[in-house]
Amino acid sequence: MPVTCTNDCNRRAKLKRPKTAEKLCLECFYQAFEDEIHRTIVNNKLFQPGESVAVGASGGKDSTVLAYVLKLLNERHNYGINLVLLSVDEGITGYRDDSLETVKRNQQQYQLPLKIVSYEELYGWTMDAIVQKIGMKNNCTFCGVFRRQALDRGAMLVKADKIVTGHNADDVAETVLMNVLRGDIARLRRCTAIMTGTEGALPRCKPFKYTYEKEIVMYAYFKKLDYFSTECVYSPNAYRGYARAYLKDLESIRPSSIVDIIHSGERMSIKKEVKMPEQGTCSKCGYISSQSICKACVMLESLNRGLPKLAIGKTHKAKVVTICSNAFQRIIYRFKIFHELERDEIKFV
Amino acid sequence: MCNVEDQDLLPPSKAKNASRTCIKCKEVAQIVLRADNCYCRSCFIAYFTHKFRATIGKSKLIRSNEKVLLAFSGGPRSSAMLYLVHEGLSENIHKKLRFLPGVVFIDDGAILQLSENERRNYLEFIRTTVSKTGFPLFCESLGKIFPTNQDTNIQSNLLSSDLSNTTRSDATSSSNFDLDTLIKRFKNDELKIVQVFEKLPNSTAKEDMLHILRKKLIQQIAEANGYTKVMFADCGTRLAVKILSDIAQGRGSSVAHDVTFADERNQAVTLVRPMREFLTKEVANYLTLKSIDYRTRLSLTTMKPVKSSIERLTENFVTDLQASFPSTVNTICRTGDKLSVGDTSKIDADAICPLCDSRIDTNNSLEGKTTSKTTSKICQNTADSCCGEGDGSCNRIARINLTAKEIEDRLCYGCRLIFHSNNWEMDDLPQFLIDAIEKQLRRKRLKEEIEEFLLD
């Protein structure tokens, strides 16, 4: 028996909304999906008219739908923003090269400018080269740290005022759980913020913060959007896998769990006496960092010095190496000066 | 509840342990806590007892001769706690505990659908165990939270003499503790609560409700009998599960309360958790070494699939993770320790959830949920729409003059989830909840009347 749409539109329902379990027709689903994102944007004042907004585009489902929906809403509700697609080429053969093709097609389809920044030009290392050095384990740490900075640098190159990323509700909820499991209290505090980095650095925002991953897939599927769906060829983060599996199980028990976790994350407050890392800038590259030298610089240094394992383990060890090398150079320098002075004195005498 | 299993105990392979020695006294070790942390029998017991007393002592919260109620379920953790307290009070001990303990047992057999025989055996076990300690015992059925006579004053019900006389078993008067009449009285109290639990939509909501009501009833019994502190035997493993399942059920704002040593949400009765530094495994070791008798606690999801409730799933998740990453429980608990309960002195009485006593966390942004609700119009609360129509159920609502919407608005985010998508009626709510909401609403109306004269 055909089910009619619960939204009183007399059309036939085609799907069950993962978030609310109501049965909707396609038109009502699109409407609900887009309106929800619009409301999130408006309520949180994500965009100002005249701003240039870089969409972090990987070619995957989230960013493809994000680019599509933002273009649509920008026209429908006159946000007055300029959208730019921004991609990072990590240099992973068999994964990123293919997904970048998708981004390039999207550029044609949506008529948006596209900028690609690559690890190779920024750091002199492709992920393939990094993996050759450090093996299949832990390479995600490098990729993640580098990508964060690469996006910022790319956005500065295209003179964007903001970066939007396709992080969806599932991602945010998963991050809340991960930070609890890892005891990362500083990140736990900021991971549910819809907009980060408002002071100083380029602000980043997540218009999909309340959007379920399943609904994004559904939207892309019914809208027949062109996206790339392959797992990265390098090993996925195993520990994160546990959190993800747990989250999926929670969702199957109670679909609202994902939003509930985000709500919990927003409402947790941290004790005042707990020491928080202070955000400063990296003494080497000037990028924001909670340490004296940012993680990207530490990692790059360790790669260039041929000791990549150092950067993954204890941070202080790697930093000691970096600082030591600097200090050592200074000592040698002083020694030289001293030596010359001494010589001069000898001459003088 | 966390599973305590014998397989946690040593020795799994004798050859491996033969060379191991206790890290304290270099005797042959009997227990491996973690990796190379081996203890002999007496050093482990000393370590365990010391940690328990240190947790209580460190807090400096329990004064001497203060009346402290021990929440006892007969399960492994609370059995260990009862034993530790009993031992700590004996005369010849160094650093003697100085409070006056009582024991409370809440019988939830009706909700777990136990047979009368099972319940009698269980009560018998509770009675004999507690009578060995000589502490006063309060037994009550969870059904008591819904008073049978429609008298609105629940306090008087609890203070009634039958509770303090017939269910109180001092070492001397335990003979007049008649189990059959007790069970009969329990059954009488339970008609309502069984109905209410049947109406709750799923096991997750049932478990959540069960915890809340049990805690509430224990607090009421404590208050009625002059106890100012209640000890709960939650161990670290249990608290880690609690932290995660709280977060998953939208209770992020009350996580800190649920895991701190002293939960002071209820002003009259403070909840303390002296077992919070232990792992389930350590508790199991202690029970075995001391040959303490306990009963395996049944829960609503015992013998059910893993995905039958959020709590059950979380418990499974934490236990599995702990097996491969032994610091899991500790890390989660330390994260919980860093969360703040907020400034409790400044909370307005109206801003407290009448069900779970937490601060209301639903005020400004409920974006994730309300947005999707309004756009897709699923906000059709049946009780709300029928109210005032004049049929039977509405009359009852009219009598108390509260709408379902009004009640829901007063609850915190997590408690709303319990009732969500459920056709509940006013009668399904415990009286204390309705009373509290009515009081809040009366205050609100009063405040509205004097609004214009209020400065700031």
Side-chain angles (χ1 to χ4, degrees):
Chain A
M1 198 194 96
V3 189
T4 48
C5 174
T6 45
N7 220 12
D8 302 333
C9 63
N10 293 324
R11 280 183 292 251
R12 218 177 123 177
K14 183 121 187 189
L15 54 89
K16 200 171 101 187
R17 245 193 113 179
K19 195 171 181 175
T20 56
E22 53 199 327
K23 296 173 184 72
L24 295 179
C25 66
L26 282 185
E27 283 74 11
C28 289
F29 170 67
Y30 295 153
Q31 190 69 32
F33 183 87
E34 289 154 10
D35 281 356
E36 221 172 280
I37 294 157
H38 171 60
R39 210 160 300 195
T40 308
I41 291 172
V42 173
N43 287 348
N44 294 286
K45 302 191 182 67
L46 294 189
F47 306 127
Q48 306 297 323
E51 270 182 341
S52 182
V53 176
V55 183
S58 64
K61 57 179 176 5
D62 298 316
S63 57
T64 307
V65 174
L66 182 66
Y68 177 88
V69 170
L70 281 186
K71 185 176 157 64
L72 184 100
L73 292 176
N74 190 23
E75 283 159 14
R76 185 186 293 165
H77 299 286
N78 290 321
Y79 295 152
I81 51 171
N82 303 312
L83 293 168
V84 187
L85 295 178
L86 178 61
S87 289
V88 177
D89 181 3
E90 295 96 341
I92 303 173
T93 323
Y95 171 67
R96 190 50 89 209
D97 42 1
D98 293 346
S99 71
L100 282 176
E101 289 308 311
T102 322
V103 181
K104 284 175 192 158
R105 280 202 303 277
N106 287 342
Q107 181 202 1
Q108 299 298 318
Q109 289 153 0
Y110 308 151
Q111 291 296 310
L112 294 172
L114 166 69
K115 170 77 191 166
I116 301 177
V117 285
S118 72
Y119 279 11
E120 192 156 23
E121 62 185 84
L122 288 178
Y123 308 107
W125 288 83
T126 63
M127 269 315 283
D128 287 340
I130 294 175
V131 172
Q132 269 194 350
K133 277 265 177 198
I134 64 164
M136 293 296 274
K137 262 188 153 181
N138 289 323
N139 51 55
C140 290
T141 316
F142 282 84
C143 196
V145 170
F146 285 159
R147 182 167 41 234
R148 195 184 157 83
Q149 222 183 67
L151 261 184
D152 271 19
R153 294 201 191 177
M156 283 180 218
L157 285 177
V158 297
K159 298 198 169 56
D161 303 297
K162 244 167 221 159
I163 303 174
V164 290
T165 52
H167 289 105
N168 55 41
D170 298 48
D171 296 331
V172 179
E174 185 188 306
T175 311
V176 172
L177 294 177
M178 276 300 288
N179 288 332
V180 172
L181 291 177
R182 288 193 311 206
D184 192 336
I185 206 83
R187 283 203 182 80
L188 180 62
R189 190 181 56 171
R190 55 177 193 245
C191 70
T192 49
I194 191 158
M195 179 121 72
T196 51
T198 32
E199 67 282 334
L202 266 185
R204 282 160 176 258
C205 52
K206 309 178 243 211
F208 281 172
K209 184 183 161 189
Y210 300 112
T211 311
Y212 276 36
E213 183 182 30
K214 283 218 179 83
E215 297 198 353
I216 293 173
V217 176
M218 231 173 212
Y219 191 84
Y221 172 79
F222 284 116
K223 287 263 181 181
K224 300 191 177 58
L225 297 184
D226 183 8
Y227 74 86
F228 179 80
S229 60
T230 306
E231 284 285 307
C232 175
V233 288
Y234 299 128
S235 62
N237 192 333
Y239 199 77
R240 203 167 251 278
Y242 292 109
R244 173 125 287 206
Y246 173 57
L247 185 74
K248 289 288 156 206
D249 288 345
L250 282 176
E251 190 190 358
S252 71
I253 294 175
R254 183 189 266 174
S256 74
S257 290
I258 291 173
V259 180
D260 297 342
I261 291 173
I262 298 177
H263 176 83
S264 289
E266 289 168 340
R267 295 305 159 128
M268 279 191 274
S269 49
I270 314 289
K271 276 185 188 155
K272 282 200 189 74
E273 56 271 24
V274 175
K275 230 175 88 188
M276 284 290 175
E278 275 173 41
Q279 215 152 60
T281 49
C282 169
S283 56
K284 273 192 123 176
C285 66
Y287 186 76
I288 48 157
S289 165
S290 53
Q291 308 287 328
S292 59
I293 297 169
C294 74
K295 190 79 183 163
C297 284
V298 171
M299 289 185 149
L300 206 56
E301 176 86 13
S302 68
L303 276 174
N304 290 336
R305 291 164 54 87
L307 299 161
K309 290 258 161 36
L310 264 186
I312 318 161
K314 294 261 185 288
T315 333
H316 65 263
K317 227 192 236 170
K319 228 166 39 192
V320 165
V321 171
T322 325
I323 292 167
C324 275
S325 78
N326 291 347
F328 193 57
Q329 277 164 3
R330 270 202 302 277
I331 290 170
I332 293 172
Y333 180 68
R334 276 196 201 140
F335 190 70
K336 272 185 192 158
I337 294 174
F338 180 70
H339 216 70
E340 277 162 23
L341 276 176
E342 220 174 17
R343 253 200 326 240
D344 287 348
E345 276 169 33
I346 294 166
K347 266 186 214 159
F348 208 69
V349 169
Chain B
M1 303 295 127
C2 308
N3 293 321
V4 179
E5 282 165 34
D6 296 77
Q7 69 215 34
D8 288 338
L9 292 172
L10 265 186
S13 58
K14 274 183 183 147
K16 202 174 160 193
N17 301 316
S19 59
R20 295 199 180 172
T21 52
C22 169
I23 56 167
K24 294 267 180 199
C25 65
K26 311 293 174 211
E27 296 278 312
V28 178
Q30 277 186 311
I31 288 160
V32 181
L33 282 189
R34 238 188 91 178
D36 290 326
N37 269 1
C38 306
Y39 282 89
C40 71
R41 189 191 145 88
S42 60
C43 288
F44 174 76
I45 289 170
Y47 149 85
F48 195 86
T49 324
H50 172 76
K51 211 168 173 185
F52 177 74
R53 292 202 201 130
T55 316
I56 297 177
K58 220 164 43 184
S59 70
K60 292 183 182 148
L61 215 71
I62 296 168
R63 289 179 299 273
S64 64
N65 293 328
E66 186 168 3
K67 284 176 89 182
V68 176
L69 199 57
L70 310 177
F72 180 58
S73 67
R77 289 180 304 248
S78 56
S79 299
M81 182 172 79
L82 182 67
Y83 192 91
L84 281 163
V85 170
H86 179 57
E87 203 181 50
L89 286 164
S90 53
E91 280 305 324
N92 49 0
I93 213 152
H94 178 58
K95 282 191 180 165
K96 193 180 157 189
L97 297 173
R98 295 194 181 280
F99 53 82
L100 305 171
V103 180
V104 61
F105 171 73
I106 302 296
D107 184 5
D108 50 11
I111 289 148
L112 301 178
Q113 290 165 341
L114 300 184
S115 72
E116 199 167 311
N117 218 7
E118 286 170 307
R119 293 180 68 178
R120 187 179 293 109
N121 286 340
Y122 206 96
L123 277 167
E124 181 62 49
F125 167 73
I126 299 288
R127 182 172 64 171
T128 40
T129 314
V130 178
S131 66
K132 274 181 218 155
T133 65
F135 301 153
L137 167 68
F138 301 89
C139 274
E140 197 49 86
S141 154
L142 190 65
K144 199 74 187 173
I145 202 87
F146 292 90
T148 35
N149 50 343
Q150 284 300 312
D151 193 329
T152 45
N153 194 350
I154 189 159
Q155 292 301 346
S156 70
N157 245 316
L158 279 166
L159 276 168
S160 63
S161 57
D162 63 330
L163 177 95
S164 36
N165 290 335
T166 57
T167 62
R168 184 172 168 151
S169 90
D170 293 320
T172 47
S173 65
S174 60
S175 52
N176 58 25
F177 187 109
D178 181 19
L179 286 181
D180 287 321
T181 42
L182 193 68
I183 289 177
K184 207 172 279 171
R185 190 168 65 80
F186 280 3
K187 290 224 146 157
N188 194 29
D189 287 339
E190 278 155 0
L191 299 168
K192 184 77 211 165
I193 199 162
V194 171
Q195 259 176 36
V196 170
F197 268 77
E198 267 169 15
K199 278 194 174 180
L200 288 175
N202 46 47
S203 310
T204 306
K206 281 180 192 169
E207 271 185 337
D208 206 15
M209 189 74 163
L210 182 63
H211 290 314
I212 292 174
L213 293 183
R214 188 192 287 135
K215 199 171 84 182
K216 205 83 184 182
L217 185 61
I218 290 178
Q219 279 175 336
Q220 285 176 353
I221 293 172
E223 202 178 341
N225 292 283
Y227 287 87
T228 43
K229 302 259 163 32
V230 178
M231 279 188 178
F232 278 84
D234 296 315
C235 67
T237 315
R238 168 82 200 128
L239 290 179
V241 173
K242 183 86 184 140
I243 291 173
L244 281 181
S245 64
D246 264 1
I247 290 175
Q249 294 178 66
R251 293 188 182 276
S253 57
S254 54
V255 168
H257 278 298
D258 284 337
V259 297
T260 50
F261 176 75
D263 175 356
E264 289 167 325
R265 270 178 290 188
N266 184 316
Q267 278 144 0
V269 181
T270 306
L271 309 184
V272 247
R273 303 187 179 89
M275 306 279 283
R276 65 194 295 273
E277 307 284 335
F278 298 122
L279 296 175
T280 322
K281 183 181 165 184
E282 292 172 320
V283 176
N285 281 337
Y286 183 75
L287 290 169
T288 317
L289 290 181
K290 284 277 189 178
S291 4
I292 300 167
D293 197 13
Y294 63 90
R295 292 283 180 272
T296 312
R297 285 288 294 157
L298 297 176
S299 78
L300 280 165
T301 48
T302 311
M303 310 281 280
K304 297 254 177 72
V306 174
K307 286 212 249 172
S308 49
S309 85
I310 289 184
E311 198 182 309
R312 173 91 163 79
L313 173 75
T314 310
E315 196 187 304
N316 210 61
F317 173 69
V318 171
T319 323
D320 284 358
L321 215 53
Q322 175 77 10
S324 15
F325 304 92
S327 60
T328 304
V329 167
N330 256 321
T331 317
I332 300 176
C333 288
R334 292 296 91 88
T335 313
D337 284 348
K338 286 176 189 153
L339 298 175
S340 140
V341 294
D343 190 356
T344 39
S345 60
K346 281 187 192 156
I347 303 178
D348 195 1
D350 300 347
I352 296 220
C353 172
L355 191 54
C356 70
D357 290 335
S358 311
R359 194 191 297 226
I360 296 286
D361 56 349
T362 47
N363 36 12
N364 41 29
S365 61
L366 272 184
E367 272 175 73
K369 247 198 179 128
T370 42
T371 326
S372 52
K373 261 192 187 176
T374 41
T375 37
S376 47
K377 296 180 193 162
I378 62 149
C379 194
Q380 26 177 267
N381 200 328
T382 43
D384 194 16
S385 59
C386 93
C387 183
E389 294 297 309
D391 62 46
S393 66
C394 291
N395 281 337
R396 257 170 290 160
I397 294 170
R399 177 174 62 85
I400 311 174
N401 226 348
L402 277 178
T403 62
K405 180 84 175 63
E406 266 177 316
I407 293 174
E408 206 180 294
D409 280 350
R410 293 273 137 195
L411 298 179
C412 72
Y413 187 95
C415 289
R416 283 183 196 187
L417 288 175
I418 296 181
F419 296 106
H420 184 65
S421 71
N422 186 31
N423 295 335
W424 47 279
E425 292 167 17
M426 192 60 58
D427 265 10
D428 301 339
L429 298 175
Q431 192 60 40
F432 74 85
L433 180 65
I434 296 172
D435 287 346
I437 293 175
E438 281 188 328
K439 195 175 154 200
Q440 284 187 356
L441 285 175
R442 270 199 306 277
R443 272 184 59 83
K444 196 178 144 204
R445 275 178 214 129
L446 281 178
K447 199 180 168 188
E448 276 163 10
E449 276 179 40
I450 55 169
E451 190 81 77
E452 50 192 311
F453 300 104
L454 293 177
L455 304 173
D456 77 38

